[in-house]
Amino acid sequence: MMYEMMTSNANNIKGIVFDIQKFSVNDGPGIRTTVFLKGCQMKCVWCHNPESLSTKPQLGFNQDKCIGCRSCERVCPNGVHRFDEQGKHSVAFEDCVACGLCVDVCMNDALKIYGISMSVDHVFAEIIKDKVYFDKSGGGVTLSGGEALKQFDFSLALAKKCKQHGIHVCIETNGASKTEYYEEIAPFVDLFLFDYKATGDQLHKTLTGMNRRLVDLNLKRLDDINAAVILRCPVIPGYNGSDEHFKAIAEVSKSMANIRKVELLPYHNLGKGKATEVGRDYTVNTTVPTDDQVNSWLAKLKRYGVVQVALG
Ligand code: SF4
Ligand code: SF4
């Protein structure tokens, strides 16, 4: 009776989810459903999902889709939508409370709210629909973000529920959550997709806003408790693509027994448009690497002794 009550409470825990992506093939093995949770402790300068950084629901505005009808201006109680004399539309994001009224009246899909509150049961109902694909492909569910462990209670309850139903669970993490969180959730996780973003404490802090110490501690702890890990390494030319960095990736991966593979994530610029949509600055000044560049990185890691290396 007590167990049933605890289970039912856990199923009612709510998380702020900004996307559920089905048939994903880049977030762990097989065909997966990836649940994107809002909130992240880091602020990586190249962030691919800037709409995930805030824990709260937030407004997105796509200027290219706006036809200037001004319906949003008429319904917004906070005066967030502003038009200058030339009719140019600007958005005072800081005054928005994400009530969604303007989204409802925008006929051109120029507005959207990133992040809705969903219960564990609600998200699981979406996940379980695809179990047949998971079973056939060796796939499952991936909790991502943002940082999945920023909403720890929700992620723990969802991971447990998936495991109870025989679903393979991956957690994509920046490595910067509390060590106890990794220890507590590990029994319900088949594979951690663990970021390795920059080498050297100062550079890590400059590029992500946090130093490496806790990340290194958590990676070591996962290894000590025999949790399976894929090391995921974003490579941003001109920021973290130094030889020293590739050497460090190789050394870390060789020093731990449970790192199954290194995956490189070459820079792409999809975060740029999304940053503008949610009113954030995007300062990265680099180019998308060529195939030759990417192949040279893969070859370099192999030369430094990484046996299992691939593109993520
Ligand atoms: S309602 Fe949509 S299309 Fe109309 S002005 Fe506002 S954002 Fe632009
Ligand atoms: S979501 Fe609500 S507060 Fe925010 S801009 Fe739209 S109507 Fe205004």
Side-chain angles (χ1 to χ4, degrees), residues 87-302:
K88 185 164 169 33
H89 186 172
S90 62
V91 177
F93 288 100
E94 65 281 8
D95 295 332
C96 175
V97 294
C99 68
L101 289 173
C102 60
V103 178
D104 292 343
V105 298
C106 179
M107 292 299 141
N108 236 36
D109 289 334
L111 299 168
K112 72 182 286 185
I113 297 290
Y114 285 109
I116 55 168
S117 174
M118 295 178 79
S119 68
V120 168
D121 262 351
H122 192 171
V123 175
F124 183 76
E126 283 304 311
I127 292 168
I128 197 72
K129 286 177 190 167
D130 296 324
K131 185 151 189 305
V132 61
Y133 301 107
F134 306 156
D135 292 345
K136 281 199 169 144
S137 68
V141 67
T142 298
L143 307 188
S144 182
E147 166 54 40
L149 299 187
K150 191 93 167 67
Q151 299 189 51
F152 179 70
D153 292 342
F154 180 86
S155 289
L156 178 64
L158 186 56
K160 276 185 186 173
K161 181 140 186 158
C162 288
K163 289 311 294 172
Q164 279 163 6
H165 288 79
I167 295 172
H168 183 276
V169 175
C170 284
I171 297 241
E172 201 167 11
T173 179
N174 61 22
S177 291
K178 290 181 191 169
T179 305
E180 306 88 88
Y181 287 177
Y182 292 94
E183 291 168 342
E184 196 175 341
I185 205 167
F188 311 101
V189 176
D190 297 282
L191 182 62
F192 286 89
L193 309 176
F194 196 105
D195 290 348
Y196 191 95
K197 294 171 186 285
T199 298
D201 217 23
Q202 190 51 51
L203 183 64
H204 197 275
K205 185 154 186 142
T206 304
L207 296 180
T208 72
M210 292 184 74
N211 65 43
R212 280 209 61 85
R213 275 193 298 278
L214 182 58
V215 177
D216 289 336
L217 183 76
N218 286 332
L219 185 57
K220 177 76 173 62
R221 185 67 191 129
L222 283 177
D223 198 51
D224 288 346
I225 61 176
N226 291 322
V229 168
I230 288 180
L231 208 58
R232 305 254 283 182
C233 310
V235 183
I236 322 299
Y239 288 78
N240 67 352
S242 67
D243 209 41
E244 181 201 5
H245 184 50
F246 287 107
K247 277 185 184 152
I249 292 169
E251 287 312 309
V252 168
S253 72
K254 287 188 288 179
S255 72
M256 298 202 187
N258 296 298
I259 294 183
R260 304 290 158 88
K261 189 162 57 163
V262 171
E263 286 186 354
L264 291 189
L265 308 172
Y267 171 73
H268 64 70
N269 56 14
L270 297 180
K272 186 174 182 179
K274 291 193 279 181
T276 308
E277 257 189 52
V278 295
R280 295 189 73 89
D281 290 336
Y282 187 86
T283 58
V284 171
N285 184 14
T286 188
T287 49
V288 175
T290 62
D291 289 349
D292 282 352
Q293 246 177 316
V294 172
N295 287 333
S296 76
W297 297 338
L298 293 169
K300 196 180 279 199
L301 281 174
K302 284 189 179 157

